Amino acid sequence: RPPLVASGGGSVQPGGSLRLSCAASGFVFSNTCMGWFRQTQGNGREAVASLYSDNGESWAAESVKGRFAISLDNAKTTLTLQMNNLEPSDTANYYCAADMGVRSRYECYSGSWSSMRASTTPSGQGTQVTVSS
């Protein structure tokens, strides 16, 4: 598949919202674990949220539950992360990742795939999110 490209980052004040998107030139995802991750110089890489492409079941880190929502559009081409009530601690470079040919869909929304994926070096540039007053 084509490389994933993340977009939608920017600078917002605390309490603001941003919507990130991730796509691969119209590639249609199936049987795929997909997720959002973030990286900072101080805290390294962290899994934010993930889902399984075929049923949309998802997982989110405790630090973003109730504020962030991950989704895949009906065409299954674009992964979105809706971020509300942003906090300064959310400041990071956000990137997306996807692994096809899933053996166990449960791994996609249990947190196990996200944890494993966060330990690998991301490809692509990601998109910067800065939250400050």
Side-chain angles (χ1 to χ4, degrees), residues 18-39:
L18 283 173
R19 187 178 180 89
L20 306 184
S21 294
C22 171
S25 300
F27 185 85
V28 179
F29 293 97
S30 65
N31 195 30
T32 301
C33 283
M34 310 181 72
W36 286 97
F37 304 81
R38 60 190 182 187
Q39 184 169 4

Side-chain angles (χ1 to χ4, degrees), residues 29 34 51-53 70-74 76-80:
F29 293 97
M34 310 181 72
L51 59 70
Y52 179 60
S53 62
I70 186 172
S71 62
L72 184 64
D73 69 341
N74 290 336
K76 300 191 185 298
T77 62
T78 304
L79 184 70
T80 297

Side-chain angles (χ1 to χ4, degrees), residues 5-127:
V5 178
S7 61
S11 295
V12 296
Q13 294 185 338
S17 298
L18 283 173
R19 187 178 180 89
L20 306 184
S21 294
C22 171
S25 300
F27 185 85
V28 179
F29 293 97
S30 65
N31 195 30
T32 301
C33 283
M34 310 181 72
W36 286 97
F37 304 81
R38 60 190 182 187
Q39 184 169 4
T40 64
Q41 287 190 335
N43 295 328
R45 292 190 291 269
E46 177 187 14
V48 177
S50 64
L51 59 70
Y52 179 60
S53 62
D54 292 8
N55 63 11
E57 291 208 41
S58 65
W59 166 89
E62 287 297 325
S63 58
V64 305
K65 274 184 180 178
R67 301 189 299 122
F68 292 10
I70 186 172
S71 62
L72 184 64
D73 69 341
N74 290 336
K76 300 191 185 298
T77 62
T78 304
L79 184 70
T80 297
L81 185 68
Q82 177 65 45
M83 305 188 296
N84 299 325
N85 195 20
L86 283 159
E87 302 169 354
S89 59
D90 295 318
T91 296
N93 185 268
Y94 285 72
Y95 63 96
C96 53
D99 287 333
M100 303 173 60
V102 173
R103 293 184 179 181
S104 170
R105 62 182 65 184
Y106 175 74
E107 293 181 353
C108 304
Y109 47 86
S110 69
S112 59
W113 174 80
S114 299
S115 178
M116 178 277 298
R117 208 52 164 86
S119 67
T120 61
T121 302
S123 59
Q125 294 183 331
T127 185

